[in-house]
Amino acid sequence: HVQLVESGGGSVQAGGSLRLSCVASVDTIGRYCMGWFRKIPDKEREGIAGIDSDGSTRYADSMKGRIILSQDNAKNTLYLQMNSLKPEDTGMYYCAADLWAMGRLGASEYDYWGQGTQVTVS
């Protein structure tokens, strides 16, 4: 059973930065495809960044250029550095994992989800 625990959310002013973390309770995170999603009020859950088990990454156009996805296999931790945050980025951010998602950004590709961390930009 895979458990994912996100942290790093909070309140920040527009233009600020946050780094989200996701710790995975797995033997080795490198075996999994990992992704970050967000749920903004009145919008559907959106995939914003994904990393395949080979290390290749992809980003959603909505945040490309403002986010950086990275992974520390020794710590079984996934990170999302978010810069130049805007009020419209406010929402709940989720970490997801799957053995076969290949870094794709569709929510249905992922079997395991964390509880989320709130990001508020004012």
Side-chain angles (χ1 to χ4, degrees):
H1 181 64
V2 176
Q3 288 187 316
L4 305 172
V5 179
E6 303 97 333
S7 62
S11 296
V12 65
Q13 291 188 336
S17 299
L18 285 172
R19 189 175 81 153
L20 307 184
S21 299
C22 171
V23 179
S25 64
V26 296
D27 51 353
T28 175
I29 198 173
R31 291 181 57 228
Y32 289 79
C33 307
M34 305 292 295
W36 283 101
F37 292 76
R38 67 180 182 179
K39 177 67 174 70
I40 294 173
D42 299 326
K43 293 188 178 181
E44 294 187 358
R45 186 174 296 194
E46 173 192 20
I48 57 175
I51 183 168
D52 198 353
S53 55
D54 66 359
S56 58
T57 57
R58 63 183 70 188
Y59 299 97
D61 289 342
S62 59
M63 295 198 79
K64 191 176 291 183
R66 298 192 292 127
I67 57 174
I68 300 171
L69 184 64
S70 61
Q71 185 168 287
D72 186 334
N73 289 348
K75 296 182 178 180
N76 273 355
T77 302
L78 182 73
Y79 301 101
L80 185 70
Q81 177 68 41
M82 302 193 296
N83 303 318
S84 302
L85 285 165
K86 305 174 183 179
E88 52 263 45
D89 294 321
T90 294
M92 188 69 78
Y93 285 68
Y94 299 89
C95 172
D98 193 87
L99 285 171
W100 309 111
M102 297 176 66
R104 289 188 284 257
L105 301 182
S108 62
E109 303 275 359
Y110 293 83
D111 282 339
Y112 307 104
W113 293 83
Q115 293 300 306
T117 185
Q118 177 68 35
V119 171
T120 302
V121 186
S122 59

